[in-house]
Amino acid sequence: MQFRQLSSKDVPRGFDNGHAFTSVCINTAIYLPWLVSQCLRNGVIFKRANLKHICEASRIHHSGQEADLVVNCTGLSALKLGGVQDVNMMPIRGQTVLVRNEANIMGSTSGTDDGEEEVCYFMQRAAGGGTLLGGSYQRNNWDSQVDPNLAVRIMKRCVEVCPALTGGKGIEYLDIIRQGVGLRPYRHGGTRIEKERIDGVWTVHNYGHGGYGYQSSYGCSQKAVKLVQEALQKKPNLSGAADTSAKFFESLLVPPERLQNHGAPMHHRTEIERIPTKDLANTAKLKSLWAFANDAFKDSTRKFPEMGFEEGKRFEQPDDFIEEMGPDGVTFIQYDLESKEPDGSARIMATAGYKPWNPAFKLDDRVKRMREEREAREASRTDDETPGDKGFYTKEHEDQLLEQLEKVGSMTHSDDDDNVPRFEVVTVCVHPEYQKQGLAEKLLERVAEEVGFQVKSQNKGPDFKLVVRTMKEINEAYWLSKGFKPVGEKFFEPGLFGSPTGFHILDLTRDHRIS
C-alpha cells in the first residue's frame, strides 16, 4: 500500500485528517533473541559485570588481555558511568499495556487531549505477540511503577481511535496480558556517536537513542563501525590485529560467519568460522575438514603403534564427516591467516563441533554402506581379482562390526536418569604445530556457550551436559584433564577396524550450568 491521504469518512471521530501507509512492526520478544543468536553465530562471548568506570570494560576481555577498544552502548547508564557521566542524558518514561485483542493495523496520533506528556499508539506484533497500546512521554521521570490511572487513559484512547480492538465495546473487553514501564535513554542534543580516548583506551560511544533505538539501530551501527575502523587504524599494531574489532562489528551488520579472534597465541593472526553441517555438503571446505580430521587421527594414533591404527583413517570419505556431525551439527574451525596451504587457503589450526546427543553409534550406517559397496564391487570384479582386493571388508568382517556397533549403541550411562539435556562434542582436533596452546579449550568454550544459549532459549535449563565418545586407550587422560568423567564403556574385540589388540569406546560427560 502506498502513502495516501485518508478520506473524511475514514478519519476517526475527533481528528481533522489522517494518512495511511505500509510500515514495519518488530516483535521485540522474537527480534532480541535473534540478535543474540547472530552474535553467537559470529563468535561473540557474552560476559556480565558491574562497572564503575568505562575503562574497566577493556580489562574483562575473555582472552585475559586488554581490549583494543571499547564500544559504549550503556544507554541511560551513561549518565552515571565513570569516564562518561553525560549530563545531557535523561529518562523519558513510557507506559504501555499489552493485550491479546487484535487491531490488524498499526496506528498513532499526533497528540492527545490529556496533555503533552501523553501519546496514543497501538501496534499488533507478529507471531502472536499481542497488541501493544501506548503510551506516555514523560521527561525526566524515573518512576518504574505502573500508574493505573494512566493505564486507563491509554486503553480508552486506543479503543476510541480503533474500535475494532473490542468490537465496538469498552475497555473492559480488552484482554490484558501485562502492563509495562520503560525509561527511554533520551539525550539532549541527540544521539552521541563519536570516539575518544579515555585513560589511553579508544572508546566509541553509541548511546542516547531515546524512543527510536530499533528504527535507527542499523544506521547508528554503521557509523559506529566507521569510527571503530578509524580508531584502530591509528593504533600501531605490527601483528596485524588492528582491524580485529572493526571486522567484528561489520560482521554483525552483514554476517560473514567469520571474525578475528584475540584468544589465540599473539604471534598468530587467526580467524574462527562457524559452519552448520547443512552448509558443508559438496564444498571444498568439507574436503579440507575431512583431510584435517584424518591427519589429526593419524598423529594421535601414531603414538600407540601397538593398536595398529598408524595407517588408518578417521573418515573413509568426506561424506563420513557429514554423517558423523549429523544434520543439526555445527563445526568451529580456527585458521592461521599467516600460513597458507598449497591451494592458497588459510591453514586449519583446530576444530571442534557439537550435535544433539544420540547414543546410537553412527558407524553402523557406514558399515552398511561399505557392505553395499563390496557387493557392487564383487558383482563387477574381473576373474583376476580376489574378494580381498581394493581394501573392502569381507561379509564376515562386516557382520562382526555391526554386532559390535550394536553393543556400543546400547551403552547406558551411569547418570542417564537425571533428564538433563545432552550435546555431544565431536571432531576436536588440533594441528601438531599448534598443540599445547589452548586452542581446543577455547573452541570448547565456544561450544559450551552456544549450547547454553540453545538450552536457555528452549527453556530446558539451567543444567546441561557435554558428552564425549572416544577411544579410551588414546584419549581418556586428555578428557579427564578437562573435567569430563567416565559414564559408560564398551570393548571392541581384536581385529575390528584393523586393531590387533582391540580397544575400548568410552563415554564421558561434563556438567554445565547456565549463569
Side-chain angles (χ1 to χ4, degrees), residues 264-496:
M266 287 300 291
H267 57 283
H268 296 290
R269 277 198 313 125
T270 74
E271 183 174 76
I272 292 177
E273 184 174 16
R274 176 193 184 277
I275 308 180
T277 304
K278 58 184 176 59
D279 295 339
L280 273 176
N282 303 315
T283 65
K285 199 174 299 297
L286 172 59
K287 291 184 178 180
S288 297
L289 284 172
W290 168 68
F292 181 76
N294 280 338
D295 287 345
F297 178 75
K298 287 181 181 178
D299 180 69
S300 62
T301 56
R302 192 177 292 122
K303 303 166 187 174
F304 300 88
E306 70 279 2
M307 298 189 67
F309 287 121
E310 304 100 298
E311 302 303 322
K313 291 182 178 179
R314 177 70 176 81
F315 302 108
E316 289 294 325
Q317 55 189 12
D319 284 346
D320 292 341
F321 186 94
I322 291 180
E323 207 171 274
E324 172 79 6
M325 292 304 303
D328 299 317
V330 171
T331 302
F332 291 97
I333 310 171
Q334 186 161 4
Y335 300 93
D336 183 347
L337 299 181
E338 297 177 356
S339 298
K340 301 295 184 181
E341 299 292 353
D343 63 358
S345 62
R347 176 186 289 179
I348 298 177
M349 304 170 72
T351 63
Y354 74 91
K355 62 182 179 179
W357 167 244
N358 183 347
F361 203 66
K362 285 300 181 182
L363 281 176
D364 53 1
D365 292 334
R366 203 173 304 168
V367 175
K368 290 174 183 176
R369 189 177 66 245
M370 286 161 36
R371 172 171 289 179
E372 292 172 358
E373 291 174 353
R374 174 184 54 76
E375 291 173 348
R377 285 176 179 175
E378 286 187 345
S380 62
R381 108 181 129 80
T382 60
D383 292 338
D384 59 343
E385 291 177 330
T386 64
D389 285 345
K390 299 184 181 180
F392 49 76
Y393 291 126
T394 64
K395 181 179 183 303
E396 292 73 18
H397 197 171
E398 289 163 357
D399 288 339
Q400 279 185 290
L401 281 172
L402 289 171
E403 180 182 350
Q404 291 294 311
L405 293 170
E406 192 173 311
K407 291 180 181 179
V408 175
S410 62
M411 188 189 304
T412 57
H413 289 179
S414 59
D415 59 355
D416 270 344
D417 58 350
D418 58 11
N419 296 317
V420 173
R422 286 168 164 78
F423 292 80
E424 184 176 359
V425 175
V426 285
T427 61
V428 179
C429 307
V430 179
H431 191 287
E433 291 185 18
Y434 305 98
Q435 291 177 359
K436 300 187 183 302
Q437 296 183 6
L439 300 186
E441 288 83 351
K442 289 293 182 184
L443 291 181
L444 285 173
E445 287 178 14
R446 193 70 56 84
V447 165
E449 291 202 1
E450 184 163 314
V451 168
F453 175 77
Q454 285 190 25
V455 171
K456 185 174 182 179
S457 65
Q458 296 169 8
N459 296 317
K460 295 181 179 179
D463 298 316
F464 66 92
K465 291 180 185 288
L466 294 182
V467 184
V468 171
R469 172 164 279 177
T470 189
M471 202 175 294
K472 178 179 180 179
E473 289 78 2
I474 296 177
N475 295 317
E476 180 183 26
Y478 174 83
W479 290 109
L480 289 176
S481 72
K482 304 306 174 189
F484 285 77
K485 61 180 181 181
V487 292
E489 184 177 316
K490 289 287 184 179
F491 181 64
F492 270 46
E493 295 176 0
L496 293 177

Side-chain angles (χ1 to χ4, degrees), residues 1 48 91 120 127 239:
M1 180 176 65
R48 290 176 183 243
C120 177
S239 71

